[in-house]
Amino acid sequence: MSKKIKTGIIGLGRIGQIHLSNLLFYTQNAEVVIASDVSPATHDYARRLGVQQVTTSAEEVLTHPGVEAVIICAPTPQHVPYTIAAAREKKHIFCEKPLDVTLSTIRLAQQAVEENGVKLMLGFNRRFDPNFSRIGALVRENRIGAPQILRITSRDPAPPPLEYVKVSGGLFLDMSIHDFDMARFITGSEIKEVFVKGDALIDPRIKQYNDIDTAIIVLTFENGAIGVIDNSRKAVYGYDQRLEIFGSEGMAKAENNTPDNITLHNNKIVQTALPLHFFLERYEKAYRTCMQSFIDCIVNDTPSPVDAHDGLMATAAGLAAGISLKENRTVKMEEIIKTQ
Amino acid sequence: MSKKIKTGIIGLGRIGQIHLSNLLFYTQNAEVVIASDVSPATHDYARRLGVQQVTTSAEEVLTHPGVEAVIICAPTPQHVPYTIAAAREKKHIFCEKPLDVTLSTIRLAQQAVEENGVKLMLGFNRRFDPNFSRIGALVRENRIGAPQILRITSRDPAPPPLEYVKVSGGLFLDMSIHDFDMARFITGSEIKEVFVKGDALIDPRIKQYNDIDTAIIVLTFENGAIGVIDNSRKAVYGYDQRLEIFGSEGMAKAENNTPDNITLHNNKIVQTALPLHFFLERYEKAYRTCMQSFIDCIVNDTPSPVDAHDGLMATAAGLAAGISLKENRTVKMEEIIKTQ
Amino acid sequence: MSKKIKTGIIGLGRIGQIHLSNLLFYTQNAEVVIASDVSPATHDYARRLGVQQVTTSAEEVLTHPGVEAVIICAPTPQHVPYTIAAAREKKHIFCEKPLDVTLSTIRLAQQAVEENGVKLMLGFNRRFDPNFSRIGALVRENRIGAPQILRITSRDPAPPPLEYVKVSGGLFLDMSIHDFDMARFITGSEIKEVFVKGDALIDPRIKQYNDIDTAIIVLTFENGAIGVIDNSRKAVYGYDQRLEIFGSEGMAKAENNTPDNITLHNNKIVQTALPLHFFLERYEKAYRTCMQSFIDCIVNDTPSPVDAHDGLMATAAGLAAGISLKENRTVKMEEIIKTQ
Amino acid sequence: MSKKIKTGIIGLGRIGQIHLSNLLFYTQNAEVVIASDVSPATHDYARRLGVQQVTTSAEEVLTHPGVEAVIICAPTPQHVPYTIAAAREKKHIFCEKPLDVTLSTIRLAQQAVEENGVKLMLGFNRRFDPNFSRIGALVRENRIGAPQILRITSRDPAPPPLEYVKVSGGLFLDMSIHDFDMARFITGSEIKEVFVKGDALIDPRIKQYNDIDTAIIVLTFENGAIGVIDNSRKAVYGYDQRLEIFGSEGMAKAENNTPDNITLHNNKIVQTALPLHFFLERYEKAYRTCMQSFIDCIVNDTPSPVDAHDGLMATAAGLAAGISLKENRTVKMEEIIKTQ
């Protein structure tokens, strides 16, 4: 029979719980040996799902002799330290995004992973969304020809609490970072330049934290394509996640997913469903496929589908966006990458 | 340059006005020499559009030496008499549907047309609708394989006045007759049997006139396919004209047309446009193409795309439907055709 | 904490495996104590998912002192015997459809359930599909007014093997039965009359077994509405499950679900996704909600959402359809119900 | 009866012919007294439609004593001279876009129009497209709240010949100018800043003429909104004209129009229609409504719906875009308006 990868999970917050239940119920060839969270209140969730060993110590997971792969869902500042520790223990690593908000720190993780010959996969789950993964495949199969224009719409249903904004790293590193990764994934090209126009159009209080809630981000790519991302922290109609890639031979376009496919006609209007509410609903399948892909790359010894370089480039784009907004100018990616 | 067909039009009611303006503004190779209507109140419309000769006498049109083709938009009882008169004058004929509600009378028109070697085209304009004509072409190009199931939805936005119901010939000969013609056109097969379930679900007063306002009509075809038409006199959301043909190799489906392609999203719903209001809006292009097709079949001396046989079969299906409803049984078409 | 219902499952074929994994991974307040299947080859599946006791004996499940609810996924002939046995053991029952193909036998099960005060729920899972359950709710909330026309399209992607056809009970009891139940569920009314036109248009060999593969079924309802079901055993484009209910105040319509929401444009066509392949994909969520509803009605002591009467009426409609097809006439439901 | 406005038309090229036939066949309260074109080859078209006086001299139209309103469809360099001449003759003016490519020249026309108290309407026909005019109305009715993000996609089916590119004024003044006008129309706000990324991705030869064929244009508006236009000279799937406005209370989105509403399903794909081919098909209705609006504003003595200021601002945005592309920086509109 096929081998089962023994995993340990660090962090049982919202995203940790998703990964845990996916590992238990939907992932082939995986089992969960141990789970940790600093808050004992979360332990009951893991125990009820049948995890035998639950602890407050991340260290216990990182050094557990039976664990082959670690799932890091701790807060961002711990991402790189835990990644390095796990790598040294020769454990494969799945780490939530962003790997870090500083390029030099990301490079430390990258180095540790390479030196120890383990796999590192980052949680850019949207690459595994049925819509977006299929569009990526269509581009790679040359179904749209040479990419020329990329359009990403990525809008949240409601802004996060101001306390969260304070520590979020800002719109570009917290929210747009997913779109930067998607831009690279879909075009199959590195970003070359970034230009941003943005403002606090939803809630001016966000400016206290040097942040914005609405942005249009122009990207140029190494392969010549140009792209645009539009971000908003508040789409009253729900989570808006659309993407379009236009090329010399055609165009592929992904619309939102909805909870049903019903139209209701009355004497005034025709009504259809709002998009699925937020990322848990919209990316439910993406989270599952994402975790399966991690286990698969270990079992089959294939390269990680989302590696440290991917994390570095997405963060670099976020940093470039911040400078562009502040200085009202185009920022070259090499300007960021060379100086950090 | 190509020849211009000289036409004369009889009847300047709603449908006559449509044909007149289409002949004048949208039809290649046609001109209008004379127009008639028993009501002088309608004459001004024709004069303003530039028709030189306008009269109260249909006879004048039918016998006008300069007229090559007659457009008959008079009430149904005049359809066959005018058709026969025009045929004897060696004029081509475009006649509004239904040709008549009695098969033997239709056969008289058919005979006159054949004997005099003129063309007769019936105003089953829906065959020329961009949606339905394209589906017909897809079937004939074998894109859906052998037809197996046909579905037609045909619902009006509002019931006609009761006074009209009285003289309408009933739902089947007034409204479903278009759908019977469409069924033959799309499947490319004759109807074999008719079965109906129907009721007065919208307004019970319609029963006074032995009529109904809601019906489901099952058709079997000579080629083995089966079909269903659903009719309603009142769809509160507007004119509902959809069609679907399902075959061994695929399915083609036409949705309603709408005045715009907008979606409006707010925090409660996503809203799209209602269908186009009624037949004038929905079949605007069909009316134009229909009239052009009539002129074309004269200019090119090709067979009429909708001939007397088509009129006979549609009426026969309407008569069969009436018997099926009354006797709650399947009625064979040959039962109708042989006995009238 | 809330009580967990202890369940035992009989039958580990395809549908039994779905119910088992749903009970284990997706159902709140349920656990699985024991599973049985006459074929030991299926036992490994249950064991791997963690079921402690797996047996070849249905009897063991039916009499297991720890079991509070039995899930019957055995072949149809065992449905009623097992239902009666479980009822006598005072166990609640979830039974796959159809309960039986004979009304008198169904009534025996109905009686046993009533006498023993247990709940019986039938596996008409489509009632729990997000599209159809929402349309049912819209009708009950009077959002479309008085129902007048119901349209159900229900087409399979490929016909079953001829060996299956032989024992299937025929199209109406095997396939249309779901649609009969859906018709009653959506209109909220009993079926009054049934009329069928059908044929073997896909594979004539099916006629050897007195069966057909294509049908149009006209229903009249006690509340005056009329409806039509179209069935095909082979839609080359995949599983086609659509529904439309038209009423005095509006219309609600459910389109197919698709694996993605992508359009691909090239210089010839615009291409979108085929419907989800078959019932496992399409009704994945419905199966889960269905099982949860069963457990909920036990925990909350509410009536079963799909009871023995529902099973009886769906089977009766299937029997009426068979007679209508054979005798080419409308068959009243009371004719069936009174004579069996 | 209502007054008929006597018009004269200058220029019988493609667009002149459209305006002429719309005036003759679709416009209430208008007649055409005279038409001119320097090329006698075009005269036959006008004569066949019934225009009594056709000439090679624009002067004759401009000074014709019976003409109340002039339709200028001559090449761009004549737009302002003819506008000034017509204004001095106290004739109302409909002029094709752009009024001119130099702001100071536009101001001369603006002055002449004001001094002579005549109306000037520019041919920004897209404002009258059923999709876009309705979205404009939704914004003004506050149905989407405060505008925050505007997205316009405007892509041609094929690039123009290189000889045309040479004299076109470049992508921004030839093609994007429509989108700049649309941006102002939809947001109801003036443009404040322009930023462009663009390239010759379709045909590098276009660079010889200092032009590009692909662009992403970021706009900021006086009311705080931000917007993005994406332009391409070659969408292989046809004319792509979409628009989306996102605000604090909702979002309105216009998809492309198509020649039919058919889906064709086979065993591999579901296929729908390509967008309408190009501007003649797509904006057929817009052209009609546009001309009617011009006549209406004369008959009712209401302000021109698209005046000289609108022409000035659209041209200014085009000029700003050119500088932004060349200098890779944000260009403020006031920088353009103050220095020309």
Side-chain angles (χ1 to χ4, degrees), chain B residues 25-26 130-131 134-135 143-144 249-257 259-266 271, chain D residues 25-26 130-131 134-135 143-144 249-257 259-266 271:
Chain B
F25 302 146
Y26 300 97
N131 285 347
R134 175 129 177 75
I135 289 192
R143 298 288 290 279
I144 63 133
E249 305 299 331
M251 188 251 287
K253 183 162 75 91
E255 291 297 315
N256 283 313
N257 293 350
D260 62 57
N261 283 319
I262 294 171
T263 49
L264 175 64
H265 296 56
N266 62 29
Q271 175 177 345
Chain D
F25 303 145
Y26 301 97
N131 285 347
R134 173 127 178 75
I135 289 193
R143 298 288 290 278
I144 64 134
E249 304 300 331
M251 190 250 288
K253 183 161 75 92
E255 292 296 315
N256 284 312
N257 293 350
D260 63 56
N261 283 320
I262 295 172
T263 50
L264 175 63
H265 297 56
N266 62 29
Q271 175 177 344

Side-chain angles (χ1 to χ4, degrees), chain C residues 249-293:
Chain C
E249 305 299 330
M251 189 249 288
K253 182 161 77 91
E255 292 296 315
N256 283 313
N257 293 350
T258 51
D260 62 58
N261 283 320
I262 294 172
T263 50
L264 176 64
H265 296 57
N266 62 31
N267 64 343
K268 295 214 187 57
I269 60 161
V270 178
Q271 175 176 345
T272 63
L274 290 172
L276 288 171
H277 177 59
F278 206 3
F279 66 97
L280 295 184
E281 294 84 5
R282 166 59 191 263
Y283 292 117
E284 188 187 4
K285 285 202 178 161
Y287 278 115
R288 292 184 203 168
T289 316
C290 180
M291 192 48 69
Q292 186 66 62
S293 297

Side-chain angles (χ1 to χ4, degrees), chain A residues 57 98 125 193 207 241 254 263 265 267 306 325 336:
Chain A
S57 158
N125 58 298
E193 282 180 307
K207 285 187 168 170
Q241 297 281 297
T263 50
H265 296 55
N267 64 343
V306 198
L325 178 69
I336 305 299

Side-chain angles (χ1 to χ4, degrees), chain C residues 85-316:
Chain C
R88 287 179 181 160
E89 295 283 332
K90 307 293 184 202
K91 296 184 195 321
H92 302 293
I93 302 136
F94 178 97
C95 183
E96 264 310 301
K97 63 99 225 173
L99 193 42
D100 197 72
V101 296
T102 313
L103 302 191
S104 54
T105 308
I106 293 175
R107 287 196 186 96
L108 295 176
Q110 200 168 13
Q111 197 182 352
V113 163
E114 279 165 18
E115 284 174 4
N116 290 285
V118 293
K119 292 175 195 299
L120 168 65
M121 175 165 162
L122 290 177
F124 282 123
N125 57 297
R126 294 185 196 175
R127 291 189 178 205
F128 304 92
D129 172 71
N131 285 347
F132 301 147
S133 70
R134 173 126 178 77
I135 288 192
L138 288 169
V139 173
R140 287 187 293 278
E141 293 161 13
N142 205 30
R143 297 288 289 279
I144 63 134
Q148 295 172 346
I149 298 174
L150 171 75
R151 287 196 343 176
I152 295 176
T153 287
S154 177
R155 302 169 187 158
D156 281 357
L162 283 174
E163 304 82 65
Y164 175 81
V165 168
K166 222 184 313 187
V167 300
S168 68
L171 184 85
F172 304 126
L173 287 170
D174 181 51
M175 185 173 162
S176 320
I177 193 168
H178 272 294
D179 307 311
F180 294 132
D181 183 63
M182 189 54 59
R184 296 178 62 249
F185 171 67
I186 294 290
T187 60
S189 176
E190 294 295 352
I191 298 166
K192 195 171 159 186
E193 280 180 308
V194 178
F195 174 82
V196 176
K197 274 288 165 189
D199 208 340
L201 298 180
I202 297 157
D203 184 348
R205 291 176 300 167
I206 209 172
K207 286 187 168 171
Q208 299 165 14
Y209 306 104
N210 289 317
D211 205 356
I212 58 173
D213 51 31
T214 307
I216 285 185
I217 305 169
V218 178
L219 304 174
T220 55
F221 295 90
E222 296 286 353
N223 66 3
I226 47 184
V228 62
I229 298 165
D230 71 273
N231 287 141
S232 169
R233 283 289 197 183
K234 187 178 177 188
V236 295
Y237 51 86
Y239 196 42
D240 195 347
Q241 296 282 297
R242 288 172 288 151
L243 185 150
E244 174 179 325
I245 178 84
F246 170 88
S248 57
E249 305 299 330
M251 189 249 288
K253 182 161 77 91
E255 292 296 315
N256 283 313
N257 293 350
T258 51
D260 62 58
N261 283 320
I262 294 172
T263 50
L264 176 64
H265 296 57
N266 62 31
N267 64 343
K268 295 214 187 57
I269 60 161
V270 178
Q271 175 176 345
T272 63
L274 290 172
L276 288 171
H277 177 59
F278 206 3
F279 66 97
L280 295 184
E281 294 84 5
R282 166 59 191 263
Y283 292 117
E284 188 187 4
K285 285 202 178 161
Y287 278 115
R288 292 184 203 168
T289 316
C290 180
M291 192 48 69
Q292 186 66 62
S293 297
F294 173 56
I295 298 298
D296 286 353
C297 83
I298 300 172
V299 171
N300 305 321
D301 195 16
T302 50
S304 162
V306 197
D307 64 15
H309 174 71
D310 294 317
L312 184 102
M313 295 308 287
T315 296

Side-chain angles (χ1 to χ4, degrees), chain C residues 10 38 58 72 74-84 95 99-100:
Chain C
I10 299 173
V38 291
I72 302 173
T76 302
Q78 271 97 60
H79 286 179
V80 167
Y82 288 170
T83 294
I84 292 172
C95 183
L99 193 42
D100 197 72

Side-chain angles (χ1 to χ4, degrees), chain A residues 2-54:
Chain A
S2 67
K3 184 181 178 324
K4 284 211 166 191
I5 303 299
K6 291 184 173 63
T7 69
I9 191 162
I10 300 173
L12 291 168
R14 189 169 55 174
I15 196 72
Q17 293 186 4
I18 290 170
H19 289 317
L20 175 56
S21 62
N22 283 338
L23 277 164
L24 291 170
F25 301 146
Y26 301 96
T27 312
Q28 306 290 321
N29 304 322
E31 60 190 280
V32 181
V33 172
I34 181 171
S36 80
D37 194 291
V38 290
S39 159
T42 66
H43 292 190
D44 196 46
Y45 178 84
R47 280 203 197 93
R48 263 185 297 129
L49 292 184
V51 179
Q52 306 277 340
Q53 198 178 346
V54 190

Side-chain angles (χ1 to χ4, degrees), chain B residues 292-333:
Chain B
Q292 186 66 62
S293 298
F294 174 56
I295 298 298
D296 286 351
C297 84
I298 300 172
V299 171
N300 305 321
D301 194 16
T302 50
S304 161
V306 197
D307 63 14
H309 174 71
D310 294 317
L312 185 101
M313 295 308 286
T315 296
L319 295 169
I323 296 171
S324 174
L325 179 69
K326 202 191 294 178
E327 305 185 359
N328 190 18
R329 66 171 177 98
T330 302
V331 175
K332 286 201 192 327
M333 284 287 279

